[in-house]
Amino acid sequence: MVGVIRDRQKQLLRHLLRNKAGLSVDELSRNLAVTRTAVRQHLAALMRDGLVGPGATRPSGGRPQQLYLLTDAGKEAFPRHYSWFAQLLINAMSREHGTAGLRARLGCIASAVAAQLRGRLSETKNPRQKVQQLAALMDELGYDAHLAKEVGGAATIEANNCVFHELAMKNPQICHFDLALLSATTGRRVELHECMAQGGHMCRFRFARNA
C-alpha cells in the first residue's frame, strides 16, 4: 500500500515508523524539509485514510506539542511477508509429519477457529440458515462468499476469493483447512466441488443434507 502513497507522505510514514513514540509537526517539518503547513496537509490526508492518528502530547514550555503516530493500519501499509512465513511453517510441518500429519494439524487448527466462529452464529435449528450465517462470516473474512442456489437440496457456499490461494497452489492440502472449518462449524460433511487452486473460477463448498 505504501507504494501508491505520494512520495512525501511515504517519507512521513517512514519517519513515524522509526519513531514509535510519535513526532510533532515541527519535527516532521524538519525531517522532511517542508513547511509546517505542508506537514499538516499530509497528516490530514493520512489521518483521513486511517494510517496516522494523534498520540500523546509533549510539554514544550508553552502550548503542549501534539505527537502523531502510525495506526495499526499504517503499520500494515508497509510490506509484510505473512504468506512467505506461512509457507515456511507448512513446509516444515509437511516434512516433519507427512501429508497425513499436515492434514491432521490443519484439522486441529480448523476446529479451534470453528469454536470461535460458532460463538458468532445465532441459535438456529434450520440447517440452511446456519450455512447462510457461515457464508456471511466467510465474507467478512475476505472470501467474498455467499450462499448459492441449492442444487439437489444441498446448501452450497460459493467463494470468489481464496484467502490462501498462494499457499494452496503450492500445497493442495491447505484446502483441507477450509473443509474442516466449514464441517466443524456446522457439524455437517462438506465437499469441495470447485477449487480455484485447481483451476476453477471459484471455490464451491457443498454441504451434505444429513447432519
Side-chain angles (χ1 to χ4, degrees):
M1 184 174 181
V2 169
V4 300
I5 298 173
R6 294 171 57 185
D7 287 343
R8 190 68 72 183
Q9 293 177 0
K10 186 188 303 184
Q11 294 172 17
L12 190 154
L13 291 175
R14 289 188 185 280
H15 281 294
L16 294 182
L17 180 68
R18 296 166 185 169
N19 294 271
K20 302 298 190 291
L23 292 172
S24 67
V25 169
D26 287 336
E27 289 169 327
L28 288 168
S29 176
R30 289 194 297 271
N31 290 335
L32 298 172
V34 298
T35 65
R36 298 174 76 254
T37 299
V39 168
R40 291 189 184 281
Q41 291 175 344
H42 290 313
L43 284 173
L46 293 170
M47 292 176 73
R48 184 176 60 249
D49 292 338
L51 303 179
V52 173
T57 56
R58 177 197 296 156
S60 63
R63 184 176 181 179
Q65 289 184 326
Q66 175 67 60
L67 302 182
Y68 294 89
L69 305 167
L70 285 182
T71 62
D72 289 340
K75 295 172 184 175
E76 290 299 319
F78 290 88
R80 295 284 194 263
H81 294 288
Y82 300 122
S83 180
W84 172 70
F85 185 66
Q87 185 66 59
L88 293 177
L89 293 177
I90 293 298
N91 290 343
M93 285 193 289
S94 183
R95 287 195 303 269
E96 185 175 353
H97 304 290
T99 299
L102 175 59
R103 286 172 63 91
R105 278 152 182 78
L106 289 173
C108 290
I109 296 172
S111 295
V113 175
Q116 298 176 9
L117 293 183
R118 282 195 297 269
R120 298 185 58 189
L121 298 177
S122 61
E123 290 294 333
T124 178
K125 293 184 179 180
N126 186 309
R128 190 178 188 281
Q129 288 182 354
K130 183 176 291 187
V131 175
Q132 188 171 25
Q133 291 180 38
L134 181 55
L137 287 179
M138 290 178 67
D139 191 61
E140 289 181 22
L141 294 173
Y143 284 84
D144 188 25
H146 64 276
L147 183 63
K149 183 178 179 180
E150 292 188 2
V151 178
T156 301
I157 289 179
E158 293 179 349
N160 295 300
N161 181 48
C162 175
V163 297
F164 309 113
H165 187 70
E166 185 176 347
L167 288 176
M169 290 289 289
K170 297 176 182 178
N171 302 87
Q173 298 303 324
I174 291 295
C175 297
H176 179 70
F177 173 84
D178 285 332
L179 293 172
L181 175 63
L182 300 184
S183 179
T185 304
T186 60
R188 300 169 66 184
R189 184 168 56 85
V190 185
E191 297 177 347
L192 183 59
H193 279 248
E194 187 173 353
C195 176
M196 283 183 281
Q198 298 177 18
H201 295 293
M202 65 179 66
C203 291
R204 182 177 286 112
F205 306 95
R206 189 167 297 168
F207 293 76
R209 282 176 288 179
N210 58 308

